[in-house]
Amino acid sequence: MKISEIFYSIQGEGVLTGVPSVFIRTSGCNLRCTWCDTPYTSWTPEGEALEIATILDRVRASGTSHVVVTGGEPMIDPAIVELTRELRAKGQHITIETAGTVFKPVECDLMSISPKLANSTPWQRDEGRWAGQHERTRYQPEVLRQLMALCDYQLKFVVAERDDLAEIQKVIADTGADRRRVLLMPEGVTPEILNQRSIWLAELCKEFDFRFSTRLHVMLWGDRRGV
Ligand code: SF4
């Protein structure tokens, strides 16, 4: 698998925030979010090809029982099926972080889906070269339904403006998602920006009765890799 990085940290987002976890970050993505916080897995994908046995060795070395398979978009690599099967055989708790545009019959305990809203489309970036493909690909309600049926799930949305709420309500209506599993997160890659937008978003969560999620790793360590 093409792997960008493997590191041991704490989960910074969603219902498992604070849980020590080893992160396997695959490289490569079928989307190009304008605000992508891991451009080294999407806009300019980098990494090394690792055997699954090597990945499992590094997971074991971390000593934790929680594994997060993230990206990039980990579901575009066919090998994720075997990887998650092996992780399950070793008794790991598996979270998959995905944008929810591709289905694979993976082993998983928490499907952590972050559907991308219109605020992600890169109209202004790279002369809009990726905007058309991104726009066609970013929302796949049937795939979302399949992923949500596979195991426990959460839907995490990056919110940039108030208008995003209407789009989130549509995703919930289209997919039949349980509102209690929906979390809203502020956009931002520095603690200062995140703090400012968190205060704004917390009020929006109160108004629309949604659960708020911080991005704890950004608050603690800022815009850094491997945390
Ligand atoms: S789906 Fe994730 S990795 Fe891919 S471009 Fe968007 S934010 Fe980046």
Side-chain angles (χ1 to χ4, degrees):
M1 299 181 76
K2 188 172 181 183
I3 301 295
S4 163
E5 54 191 354
I6 298 175
F7 58 93
Y8 184 39
S9 186
I10 59 165
Q11 175 58 276
E13 302 174 351
V15 297
L16 293 179
T17 295
V19 175
S21 307
V22 61
F23 291 76
I24 302 167
R25 188 184 300 287
T26 64
S27 189
C29 188
N30 57 343
L31 297 179
R32 293 291 184 277
C33 298
T34 190
W35 39 252
C36 180
D37 57 359
T38 56
Y40 50 93
T41 68
S42 57
W43 289 92
T44 50
E46 58 187 59
E48 54 177 339
L50 294 182
E51 300 291 334
I52 287 179
T54 305
I55 299 171
L56 294 173
D57 282 347
R58 295 203 194 167
V59 168
R60 188 169 48 242
S62 74
T64 182
S65 59
H66 279 73
V67 177
V68 181
V69 185
T70 185
E73 176 49 74
M75 296 292 258
I76 62 175
D77 189 332
I80 191 173
V81 176
E82 186 186 344
L83 174 65
T84 57
R85 202 179 294 143
E86 293 292 332
L87 289 168
R88 170 56 50 78
K90 301 207 170 342
Q92 296 283 341
H93 180 286
I94 304 164
T95 299
I96 296 180
E97 301 277 358
T98 175
T101 61
V102 178
F103 180 82
K104 293 248 175 4
V106 291
E107 297 284 339
C108 188
D109 295 287
L110 177 64
M111 190 60 72
S112 179
I113 313 169
S114 185
K116 299 301 182 270
L117 303 177
N119 68 36
S120 66
T121 304
W123 299 109
Q124 312 298 335
R125 194 162 166 177
D126 210 6
E127 298 176 339
R129 195 164 56 92
W130 282 92
Q133 180 183 322
H134 182 96
E135 195 56 24
R136 282 191 300 277
T137 310
R138 68 176 173 80
Y139 183 45
Q140 304 292 334
E142 181 51 36
V143 175
L144 293 178
R145 281 190 284 271
Q146 284 182 293
L147 293 170
M148 287 159 48
L150 200 61
C151 62
D152 197 8
Y153 69 89
Q154 62 183 3
L155 289 182
K156 299 185 302 179
F157 292 93
V158 174
V159 180
E161 52 193 57
R162 187 182 179 87
D163 285 354
D164 293 343
L165 269 292
E167 216 179 330
I168 292 167
Q169 307 273 28
K170 182 176 184 315
V171 175
I172 294 170
D174 288 352
T175 60
D178 181 347
R179 279 180 69 93
R180 292 169 300 184
R181 299 176 188 225
V182 175
L183 300 101
L184 308 191
M185 301 187 302
E187 194 231 317
V189 293
T190 67
E192 295 73 23
I193 293 173
L194 207 56
N195 192 41
Q196 204 178 22
R197 294 183 179 166
S198 293
I199 294 166
W200 164 78
L201 184 59
E203 291 301 324
L204 218 53
C205 285
K206 284 160 61 182
E207 183 180 338
F208 287 86
D209 192 24
F210 279 117
R211 183 169 172 176
F212 173 88
S213 172
T214 186
R215 305 177 73 202
L216 187 59
H217 53 301
V218 177
M219 296 303 279
L220 295 177
W221 296 295
D223 185 18
R224 279 178 44 196
R225 289 179 64 162
V227 294

